[in-house]
Amino acid sequence: MPTTSTTSTCDSARTLAPPVVRTPLGVEITAGVDTPARLPGEASPHPAHRLLARDAGEYLFVGLRGGARPDTAAPDTASPRAAAPVPAHEPPDAPGLRLAPGDVCFYDVRRPPALDFREPFRATTFLVPADLLGLVDSDVRRIARTPVARASRLGTLLSPLLSDLARATAEARPQVGEMLAWNAVNLLATLAAEQLGTAVPGTPGTPGTPGGAAAPGTPGAHSPVLGRVLEYVELHLTDPDLSPEVIARAHHISVRYLHKLFKDEGTSVGRWILRRRLEECRRDLLRYGRGGRTIAAVAARWGFLSATHFSRVFRSAYGMSPREWRDTAGRGARSGHR
C-alpha cells in the first residue's frame, strides 16, 4: 500500500513539502510542488540537458529510474550496489527542450535535467521504474527527448487526467490511493508506448514524432463521444463480454458509428481493447510475480477466455511469453525496488 510522508524543505522548517505517495513497486507521486529548484534525481542536473519554459502553470514530469532492461549485455560492475551507468553527456551546445504548461516530460533520474523556468510554476512528478513501463535503455533516451505537448491529441486527453490522478492519489485513503496510482502508471505506459510508436499486433504505429504528436493507433480527444467510450472501456476491461455491440448500446450509438470513431483515429475497437488488456496483464504479472496469481488467472481477470490465445498475442506484442516476462523482466524490476 502507498505511504504518505511530509518533510520540511531546506529553505524553511515551517514550509512543508507536499505529500509523497509511494507504492510497493517503487512508484512515487508528488503533486503540486511550487517552483522546485530541481527535479528528483540521482545526480546533479547537467547544464547541457535543460528544460526551458516561460509561462506559469503546472508541468508534469515523469522520472524514469532503475530497472530498464539493457539493449545489450552490460559489463559487470565492481560492486553489486554500484549505480547504473549514466548515459553519455550531450554536446555542450545541445539545445534545451521547450515546455508549455500541461506538457508531460519524461527524464532519466540518472541524469536529471536542469530547469530554466522564468516564471513561478507548479511541478507534478511521477517517479516510475522504467521496466514497469516496459522500457529498455534506448527507449528511455528517446522518450526523454520528446515531451508530450499539452496541445497534442494525446496530451489533450491524458495531461489533465494525470494531474487529477496525482492530486486524488495524495488525498485518498491508502487502499484507494494505490488503485489510483496504478491508474496513473497505466496511462503513463500508454503514453510511453505511443511516443515510441510501439503497438500490439495489427495496430498501426509509427515512430514518435517530435513535439509530442501522437502516433497513429491512439484514439484522440477530437470527439466527446469517443472520450466517454474510452472511459467506459477502462471501467469494463475485465468483462469478457465487452464488445462493440455492448459499447455502442451503452452509449446509444450505432455499431457502425462506433467503428467510425476509432477508424478516424487510425485503429479499431478490438485492437484498442486488446492493447489495454495486454498492458494490464503485463503489469499484473510484474506486480504479483511467481508467488501470486497464475498466468492463466491473470489472463482471465482481464477478459481473456483462452490462456493459449493470451500467450500467443502477448508474445506477438512484447517479443516474449508471459512466463518469460514474469520470470525475467519482472525479477529484474522487483530487485531494483528493494
Side-chain angles (χ1 to χ4, degrees):
M1 294 183 184
T3 59
T4 301
S5 62
T6 304
T7 58
S8 297
T9 63
C10 297
D11 296 333
S12 171
R14 293 172 298 181
T15 303
L16 297 180
V20 179
V21 177
R22 297 182 173 89
T23 68
L25 279 178
V27 178
E28 296 184 15
I29 302 176
T30 307
V33 180
D34 290 329
T35 316
R38 55 180 291 181
L39 296 175
E42 298 172 359
S44 298
H46 192 277
H49 186 190
R50 294 175 299 140
L51 302 179
L52 312 176
R54 300 293 179 263
D55 298 318
E58 181 185 24
Y59 294 77
L60 305 176
F61 302 99
V62 184
L64 302 171
R65 59 187 184 187
R69 288 171 285 134
D71 302 290
T72 57
D76 292 335
T77 57
S79 167
R81 299 178 63 87
V86 177
H89 290 319
E90 296 178 11
D93 59 350
L97 296 176
R98 297 188 179 276
L99 303 178
D103 288 357
V104 183
C105 183
F106 291 83
Y107 72 95
D108 189 339
V109 299
R110 295 172 296 180
R111 188 179 169 228
L115 298 178
D116 184 357
F117 284 57
R118 298 295 174 86
E119 298 289 338
F121 68 99
R122 295 188 312 279
T124 291
T125 305
F126 301 84
L127 294 183
V128 185
D131 208 7
L132 200 59
L133 303 184
L135 302 177
V136 297
D137 284 340
S138 61
D139 293 334
V140 173
R141 291 193 294 271
R142 284 179 55 200
I143 203 169
R145 296 171 182 169
T146 55
V148 182
R150 173 65 172 82
S152 68
R153 293 192 307 170
L154 201 56
T156 299
L157 179 64
L158 297 187
S159 178
L161 287 178
L162 288 169
S163 178
D164 290 344
L165 279 172
R167 288 193 298 270
T169 300
E171 298 169 357
R173 293 181 292 106
Q175 296 86 346
V176 176
E178 182 175 352
M179 295 175 62
L180 293 173
W182 275 103
N183 286 334
V185 170
N186 293 336
L187 292 177
L188 292 172
T190 300
L191 193 62
E194 291 303 330
Q195 283 298 94
L196 295 168
T198 55
V200 296
T203 302
T206 58
T209 53
T218 304
H222 286 171
S223 167
V225 176
L226 183 55
R228 292 194 293 270
V229 166
L230 293 178
E231 291 180 3
Y232 183 87
V233 169
E234 290 299 308
L235 292 173
H236 295 82
L237 275 178
T238 58
D239 184 355
D241 294 325
L242 184 65
S243 67
E245 291 75 18
V246 170
I247 297 171
R249 185 165 55 250
H251 291 83
H252 308 289
I253 59 177
S254 68
V255 174
R256 181 177 181 180
Y257 180 62
L258 176 67
H259 285 305
K260 182 180 184 301
L261 288 174
F262 279 79
K263 183 177 180 181
D264 288 346
E265 301 295 338
T267 187
S268 70
V269 184
R271 290 170 182 170
W272 183 255
I273 294 173
L274 174 61
R275 178 186 192 129
R276 288 294 299 116
R277 282 175 168 166
L278 285 173
E279 289 172 344
E280 295 294 349
C281 288
R282 183 176 67 171
R283 201 110 43 239
D284 270 7
L285 289 171
L286 176 59
R287 184 181 187 185
Y288 296 112
R290 302 181 72 173
R293 297 170 178 161
T294 65
I295 292 174
V298 169
R301 182 195 177 200
W302 291 105
F304 287 96
L305 298 178
S306 166
T308 301
H309 170 69
F310 166 67
S311 295
R312 179 173 59 81
V313 295
F314 189 99
R315 179 182 289 276
S316 182
Y318 302 120
M320 64 177 68
S321 70
R323 187 178 304 278
E324 290 170 331
W325 163 254
R326 183 194 64 186
D327 295 347
T328 304
R331 183 176 62 245
R334 286 188 295 275
S335 65
H337 307 149
R338 293 174 184 170

